Amino acid sequence: MVVHGIGAASEISYAKQSDAYELLGSWGLPISKRFKVAKNREEVFDFIHHYGEHRHSVEHEIDGAVVKVNEIEVQEKLG
């Protein structure tokens, strides 16, 4: 199992998706070691390309990369 989010827990708040991952990890839950907070579009595309080339070296099957907006406020605006 790899935990990717907190869900609808209203009593827990965080400003960034990366903060949620840190919180989950601090609780001892298994989180992906393969996430990166990219500084710009180039880093996003480099990350996608890397896992496109190396996806078979991951210990479980993947069919691609997931790109998320880190700021929760912006996520909510985007829908």
Side-chain angles (χ1 to χ4, degrees):
M1 175 178 85
V2 178
V3 181
H4 293 283
I6 292 179
S10 60
E11 59 279 347
I12 301 169
S13 65
Y14 45 91
K16 298 180 179 181
Q17 185 78 39
S18 56
D19 294 340
Y21 291 150
E22 279 187 38
L23 185 58
L24 291 163
S26 75
W27 293 339
L29 294 168
I31 59 170
S32 176
K33 296 174 183 84
R34 293 180 167 75
F35 82 88
K36 175 181 180 167
V37 177
K39 296 179 191 122
N40 53 49
R41 277 177 36 165
E42 184 177 321
E43 285 188 9
V44 172
F45 289 119
D46 288 347
F47 185 86
I48 292 168
H49 178 74
H50 173 81
Y51 280 102
E53 294 289 318
H54 298 94
R55 68 186 206 169
H56 298 294
S57 65
V58 177
E59 63 274 0
H60 55 81
E61 285 189 36
I62 63 170
D63 58 0
V66 174
V67 177
K68 294 183 177 187
V69 174
N70 196 33
E71 292 78 11
I72 301 302
E73 182 178 323
V74 177
Q75 286 181 13
E76 291 170 355
K77 286 180 183 177
L78 291 171

